[in-house]
Amino acid sequence: MPRIRIANATVFDATGAAPFAGDVLIEDNRIAAVSRAGTPGPQADQVIDAAGRFLMPGMVEGHAHLSFENVTATEDLITPSPEAQVFAAARGAKALIDAGFTSAYGASEAKLRLGVAVRGEVEAGRLPGPRIRAGGLEISVTGAMGDESKEHNPRIGPSTIVDGVEEMRKAVRLHCREGVDNIKLDVSGDPFYPNTPGHTTPMTFEEIKVAADTAHAYGKKINAHTRSIEGSKHCVRAGVDGLFHCEYSDEELLDLMEAAKDRIFVVPTVGLFYQIVHGEAAGHGLTPEIGGYMGITALLEESVKTHTELRKRGVRHLIGGDYGFGWSPQGTQARDIKLFVELYGYSPAEALVCATRYGGQAMRAEGDLGTIAEGQLADLVLVDGDVLQDLSLLTDHDRLMMIMKDGAFHKLAPQLQATAAQPAVAA
């Protein structure tokens, strides 16, 4: 691969430093050098003149459902054939990288191996898409979220249903055997399941603990849908890596999460509820009034309280989650960055770190993803405009002038291509 220099950029490196004018050199799939303006520019085979545009690490979707496409009910996940759904997952992957998301931390999919299959095609270069940690099916228990059966009408839902420690151990082993990277448990209830609302905890600590231990024995990550206080405490104590939602909290839970802040990641998945409460889902039958009856308004209020406090305590948040519904299409996840500012009190730069550096840490234990520094993987996005002054620029895909993953261009705007073949010069 040629040595590529991105010159004259405003570099947001996601390390906590202020943006600076400088150049970035990419060699093979890694960042070979970062230099500030006024120092000699690195030699390169190709030069991209950023002309002062905003260069940042690629973003990370922290709770990805690649196969969710215009979903409005569980029927949309249960009834389509695997053949149809693998195309939906492929389209979801493309929508993410088109939106500047160069990594996807998988939550769950509509079928067990959808994420695994798309991950393999993307890694082989046959499909466009982000780096993928593939999710499998959600693992739940009888009578809880994900259990779609009734005694008179048994049917297979979008989950693996287990009961007890040994069934849980076997289910996690099965996921690992089939190539899943991220195991997901449905620990708590959910407002979309009236018999087990969000404050309930159907899954036991023992079931969670054996799932975490089994996944870790295979070198996999374990994540959990957890809204309830008890469920979130179980997850932290059992060794769960990623906690999704976490609206309800008390002082003991907040203390537990702060003590584990160097180990866990928390994904508020705020977009789904925000969109319902603010009327964006009304065209699909989920009006704000109905959302209020379901307890979604109250859950959003709890989310603001809990995650504002977690921010103050230094717990690492990731953006994204539960996109792919009819009112929240794949590729619009960058909206969450602005919500982190408006709802949880992050500064724009801090929220952008959640979307980049923290996501990279969740994706790779090696610590080589999510910042712009020598030796890091070359996942980069060049934006036309000052993102820290206007976070909505990240939702305008026309303003994403360059998207690079693993040192290769996924997108390069025509006005940048004109400079791509220039010979290397010293700055």
Side-chain angles (χ1 to χ4, degrees), residues 16-261:
F20 59 90
D23 293 7
V24 175
L25 179 70
I26 294 95
E27 186 170 4
D28 296 325
N29 68 334
R30 294 195 178 259
I31 296 170
V34 180
S35 57
R36 291 178 177 260
T39 60
Q43 292 294 308
D45 303 305
Q46 294 182 339
V47 177
I48 305 294
D49 184 2
R53 295 183 178 93
F54 193 90
L55 183 67
M56 57 179 277
M59 292 180 286
V60 181
E61 154 62 281
H63 176 157
H65 296 293
L66 299 176
S67 56
F68 288 24
E69 185 178 54
N70 299 320
V71 176
T72 58
T74 53
E75 291 293 335
D76 301 324
L77 302 175
I78 296 169
T79 56
S81 68
E83 294 85 356
Q85 285 180 319
V86 75
F87 285 108
R91 289 190 293 269
K94 183 178 185 300
L96 279 174
I97 196 162
D98 285 347
F101 285 83
T102 54
S103 292
Y105 186 87
S108 65
E109 301 299 346
K111 300 285 190 297
L112 175 61
R113 286 184 49 83
L114 289 175
V116 174
V118 172
R119 181 197 66 201
E121 291 299 296
V122 169
E123 289 179 351
R126 293 187 290 264
L127 283 177
R131 300 175 185 275
I132 297 170
R133 286 192 61 91
L137 285 170
E138 298 182 7
I139 302 177
S140 190
V141 296
T142 298
M145 173 184 167
D147 183 1
E148 299 289 330
S149 290
K150 298 292 184 182
E151 185 178 20
H152 67 284
N153 181 27
R155 67 173 187 168
I156 299 173
S159 302
T160 298
I161 306 300
V162 304
D163 291 292
V165 166
E166 291 309 317
E167 288 187 11
M168 176 65 80
R169 194 191 320 268
K170 183 175 181 179
V172 174
R173 285 172 172 169
L174 174 65
H175 276 64
C176 294
R177 184 191 75 185
E178 296 301 311
V180 171
D181 299 308
N182 286 356
I183 314 300
K184 182 185 176 188
L185 309 178
D186 288 340
V187 170
S188 80
D190 190 83
F192 287 92
Y193 286 78
N195 292 333
T196 51
H199 64 273
T200 64
T201 311
M203 191 172 287
T204 67
F205 173 80
E206 291 75 18
E207 290 167 330
I208 301 165
K209 184 68 165 64
V210 74
D213 289 348
T214 304
H216 290 156
Y218 281 87
K220 308 295 186 179
K221 292 285 188 75
I222 185 84
N223 307 288
H225 166 108
T226 174
R227 302 190 189 277
S228 68
I229 295 173
E230 181 183 21
S232 296
K233 290 177 182 178
H234 285 349
C235 288
V236 176
R237 289 171 172 148
V240 168
D241 301 298
L243 285 74
F244 301 150
H245 311 303
C246 301
E247 290 89 3
Y248 294 111
S249 65
D250 63 12
E251 197 68 19
E252 182 184 31
L253 174 59
L254 295 170
D255 288 345
L256 282 171
M257 296 176 88
E258 183 178 8
K261 65 182 182 181

Side-chain angles (χ1 to χ4, degrees), residues 344-406:
Y344 302 147
Y346 278 101
S347 72
E350 292 167 340
L352 207 54
V353 166
C354 295
T356 54
R357 184 173 91 214
Y358 293 162
Q361 291 170 352
M363 288 291 297
R364 290 178 60 86
E366 296 87 342
D368 58 357
L369 183 66
T371 62
I372 299 178
E374 184 177 341
Q376 291 279 288
L377 290 164
D379 286 16
L380 302 168
V381 176
L382 185 67
V383 187
D384 188 13
D386 187 343
V387 173
L388 297 183
Q389 293 300 313
D390 184 1
L391 291 170
S392 68
L393 292 173
L394 293 172
T395 65
D396 182 351
H397 298 177
D398 290 338
R399 303 297 287 267
L400 308 181
M401 309 298 288
M402 182 197 81
I403 300 170
M404 172 181 282
K405 188 192 81 174
D406 220 26

